Amino acid sequence: MSLLLRLKDLHLSFPHKTCFRDFSASVYTGGRIAVIGANGAGKTMLLKSIAGLSDLYEGRIEITGAAGYVPQTVEDYDTLSGGQRFNKALSTALAANPDVLILDEPTNHLDEANRRSLMRLIRTFHGAVIAASHDAELIDSCFDTLWHIDNGQIKVFNGSYSEYRSTLSRERDSIAHEIARIK
């Protein structure tokens, strides 16, 4: 596996909030990373930073190959539907033969057939895929690493989304049990 991307001590903040701080990670060929978190957590800015489209972060981003980025909202191609716009932007990104494919909420405007096609593409893509999404099925079936932006940090979980939700549920239950025991 080849190293495609290295993030070192990444920090993203705005005057009114810190999205995350001190995040470091390495991404290799075959990596399938889903970026999850609440709206406004900083998912899109993280993706734009990795794609080289934003310099609002502190820290270092080193990408060894080409990145292909498909934004959440594709503004070009006024006469096309949202799904058609996404497919056109995806085709443009793929035409550059990227090593890292970066997708921001890729299933937002897709019908079921295009959604299934996208899932097949993600599973078979030759490089790494990093996507921000709220689509639980997409995340669970296509990604094996989660970067969860929450409370000013990015927590990394290796495993499926279902496993992550189960782990979070057990942690919450354990905390609730401990609080009840103390009272």
Side-chain angles (χ1 to χ4, degrees), residues 104-177:
D104 195 354
E105 296 291 351
T107 59
N108 271 3
H109 303 288
L110 298 182
D111 61 20
E112 194 56 32
N114 280 309
R115 208 167 147 270
R116 296 281 171 221
S117 178
L118 175 65
M119 288 181 185
R120 280 190 303 278
L121 178 128
I122 289 171
R123 285 187 203 105
T124 60
F125 183 72
H126 70 277
V129 179
I130 303 172
S133 182
H134 289 100
D135 184 329
E137 182 186 8
L138 173 77
I139 297 169
D140 216 21
S141 66
C142 296
F143 297 91
D144 56 16
T145 302
L146 305 176
W147 291 352
H148 184 184
I149 303 176
D150 187 39
N151 291 323
Q153 61 182 345
I154 300 179
K155 299 174 190 171
V156 177
F157 182 82
N158 294 306
S160 73
Y161 186 56
S162 295
E163 292 167 334
Y164 184 60
R165 289 189 327 200
S166 179
T167 299
L168 287 180
S169 179
R170 283 193 307 274
E171 288 175 1
R172 277 191 226 107
D173 290 348
S174 176
I175 291 168
H177 178 71

Side-chain angles (χ1 to χ4, degrees), residues 24-25 53 61 71 77-79 101 120 126 154-155 166 173:
S24 296
L53 300 173
I61 298 175
Y77 321 114
D78 289 342
T79 60
L101 182 60
R120 280 190 303 278
H126 70 277
I154 300 179
K155 299 174 190 171
S166 179
D173 290 348

Side-chain angles (χ1 to χ4, degrees), residues 3-183:
L3 177 67
L4 298 176
L5 172 67
R6 183 178 313 217
L7 309 177
K8 182 77 171 132
D9 299 323
L10 224 53
H11 178 92
L12 178 64
S13 63
F14 298 98
H16 63 287
K17 82 182 227 182
T18 296
C19 296
F20 54 84
R21 67 177 66 82
D22 301 324
F23 179 62
S24 296
S26 295
V27 177
Y28 295 88
T29 302
R32 298 294 183 265
I33 298 158
V35 181
I36 61 173
N39 287 337
K43 299 181 300 292
T44 293
M45 289 309 300
L46 174 61
L47 296 183
K48 284 183 174 182
S49 298
I50 293 169
L53 300 173
S54 172
D55 60 0
L56 297 178
Y57 64 91
E58 295 176 31
R60 282 196 343 237
I61 298 175
E62 301 166 1
I63 189 162
T64 59
Y69 174 72
V70 181
Q72 183 174 163
T73 304
V74 179
E75 310 252 337
D76 300 335
Y77 321 114
D78 289 342
T79 60
L80 303 178
S81 71
Q84 291 169 324
R85 289 178 190 196
F86 172 81
N87 285 333
K88 188 91 167 157
L90 178 60
S91 294
T92 300
L94 290 172
N97 197 27
D99 299 296
V100 180
L101 182 60
I102 303 166
L103 307 171
D104 195 354
E105 296 291 351
T107 59
N108 271 3
H109 303 288
L110 298 182
D111 61 20
E112 194 56 32
N114 280 309
R115 208 167 147 270
R116 296 281 171 221
S117 178
L118 175 65
M119 288 181 185
R120 280 190 303 278
L121 178 128
I122 289 171
R123 285 187 203 105
T124 60
F125 183 72
H126 70 277
V129 179
I130 303 172
S133 182
H134 289 100
D135 184 329
E137 182 186 8
L138 173 77
I139 297 169
D140 216 21
S141 66
C142 296
F143 297 91
D144 56 16
T145 302
L146 305 176
W147 291 352
H148 184 184
I149 303 176
D150 187 39
N151 291 323
Q153 61 182 345
I154 300 179
K155 299 174 190 171
V156 177
F157 182 82
N158 294 306
S160 73
Y161 186 56
S162 295
E163 292 167 334
Y164 184 60
R165 289 189 327 200
S166 179
T167 299
L168 287 180
S169 179
R170 283 193 307 274
E171 288 175 1
R172 277 191 226 107
D173 290 348
S174 176
I175 291 168
H177 178 71
E178 187 64 24
I179 290 171
R181 189 185 68 73
I182 294 171
K183 287 183 179 178

